[in-house]
Amino acid sequence: MQIGLQIPDFTWPDGPSRLGATLAEVARTADQGGFEHIAVMDHFFQIGVVGPPENDMLEAYTTLGFLAAHTSRAKLLTLVTGAVYRHPGILGKIISTLDVLSDGRAWLGIGAAWNDEESRGLGIPFPPVAERFERLEETLQICLQMFAGDDRPFTGRHYQLERPLNVPRPLTQPHPPILIGGTGERKTLRFVARYAQACNLFPGPDTPHKLDVLREHCAREGRDYDEILKTAYYAIDVGENGENVGKVLDDLRSLAEIGIQGTLGSVKNVWRIKPLEIIAERVIPEARNF
């Protein structure tokens, strides 16, 4: 079982003046402690389940570039980019740049987008859900073409690129891994089977069913189900002094038993650093055995 860190909130006690220094310490501690991934949300306003929109929120890819400079081994990604937030040609260039500058540690985390509030607030076009999925698929196709160094014209329903030149190409070959977030059975999991190396689900009673649906899509697409890393969102709260470690390990073991191979999620009071140290010492070594 792989353990990954997602940082969804930047409203920390010392405020923006210390945010860079604290975030750097968080990243170094997670990286050295064995977290497999470090991720940030791709939101411009804070989302309701975390806090009010006025809370501090950093732009995702600027932040990942900063994290790349303060880490050396953890994979870096968004959980997940909204496909309509950036033109796909620009997104392909962003991921390639991150991969080169991080020495091959970039992943493309992506989904169809859902937060119309921030889109309206910042003037980002936010088409109906069916069109967002069409744009998601074209974005995946464009990024894969750019990662491969193919600069022939791309002509899709929503995007037309005369020359998707991408130099330098990513260091990761054949391309930076793609993680698609979401649980939709008809489109999202089908796109996972067709394009992705990983998925991210929200754990619950229906998780085994979602994995069965993914397996069925893989069979139809001629894809090996076992090639896909199955991850779930899991927020870790080890307690002030590690008193919840046993429960965390039980939860992770239960996820592993139904076929989840890794987690990505927040750590309570991550800015205190100590929770990361407890996870590194008492959770990650045990979880590797699940």
Side-chain angles (χ1 to χ4, degrees), residues 1 6 11 18 29 56-57 76-77 84-85 97-99 125 136 172 185 189 212 216 227 259 271 281:
M1 171 74 74
Q6 187 221 34
T11 303
R18 289 285 302 164
T29 305
D56 295 326
M57 178 54 64
L76 305 168
L77 73 157
V84 298
Y85 289 163
T97 299
L98 180 62
D99 197 62
L136 169 60
T172 304
E185 297 181 13
L189 295 178
D212 286 341
E216 292 166 2
E227 289 180 353
W271 45 268
E281 293 171 7

Side-chain angles (χ1 to χ4, degrees), residues 68-90:
H70 291 280
T71 56
S72 61
R73 49 160 302 280
K75 307 302 189 297
L76 305 168
L77 73 157
T78 61
L79 192 64
V80 290
T81 287
V84 298
Y85 289 163
R86 295 167 189 81
H87 191 285
I90 302 301

